[in-house]
Amino acid sequence: MTLNGLLEHLNAGLPISASSELHDFMVGICQEGMRITAELNGAYHNPEEVRALFSKLTGKPVDESFGLFPPFTADFGKNISVGKNVFINSGCRFQDQGGITIGDGAFIGHNVVLATLNHGIAPEKRSTIYPAPIVIGQKVWIGSNATVIAGVTLGDNAIVAAGAVVTKDVAANTIVGGVPAKTIKTLDEATKEAI
């Protein structure tokens, strides 16, 4: 088993049984992710060191414009991609096995959870995991304590209100809030009210 083989399986949305060799390999990658995030969270690091540790976690270089305030945790780490001018505030938790893509200029508030895995509904399938990606468009703003679940896409410029639980795709230029999140207004309406 290789990391690329595991990523191909996850990115195809294929399930993984808890008793499989694939699951055991994934848990090994998760252990590496926990070690790197423990290093990130265990002491002060300047912005350059934070970027280096995040790059090590994801296995991909991040742009010099990337910013993150620890603490930060990721269940896996190797299926996260971030654009330019992305900022992740403290306390965020990413469950990224299913894939997390964050577009340029996105802001992610305190304690946001991005969860890309579901479990089987039937009790006998509960330990089987089902991955699905989260895609965050350009200039998206996710407010503090929001949760975005597997398979959700947030369109460009969307805003997710603090504390929202996003279970469905959010259109571009839309503000959503609540549990489950529903459309509050469009960005055009909000802009007119602000004038």
Side-chain angles (χ1 to χ4, degrees), residues 13-112:
L14 299 172
I16 296 179
S17 169
S19 59
S20 67
E21 179 185 336
L22 200 57
H23 183 269
D24 291 344
F25 183 77
M26 183 180 70
V27 169
I29 302 296
C30 292
Q31 293 298 317
E32 179 188 351
M34 285 188 280
R35 183 186 57 73
I36 295 167
T37 56
E39 183 180 350
L40 173 67
N41 300 327
Y44 170 77
H45 299 283
N46 67 39
E48 184 178 316
E49 293 167 335
V50 168
R51 285 191 298 274
L53 285 166
F54 195 85
S55 294
K56 186 175 181 182
L57 174 68
T58 63
K60 306 173 196 99
V62 292
D63 190 76
E64 288 182 6
S65 62
F66 173 78
L68 179 141
F69 286 175
F72 171 84
T73 57
D75 283 5
F76 186 66
K78 301 301 184 208
N79 213 0
I80 301 170
S81 297
V82 296
K84 296 179 180 179
N85 298 304
V86 168
F87 176 70
I88 300 170
N89 220 324
S90 64
C92 290
R93 297 179 178 272
F94 288 10
Q95 181 191 57
D96 65 290
Q97 287 90 334
I100 295 172
T101 302
I102 303 173
D104 293 348
F107 291 149
I108 300 178
H110 292 91
N111 303 315
V112 167

Side-chain angles (χ1 to χ4, degrees), residues 126-141:
R126 196 72 42 87
S127 62
T128 299
I129 57 172
Y130 298 87
I134 292 173
V135 178
I136 299 169
Q138 295 185 12
K139 297 185 179 176
V140 168
W141 174 19

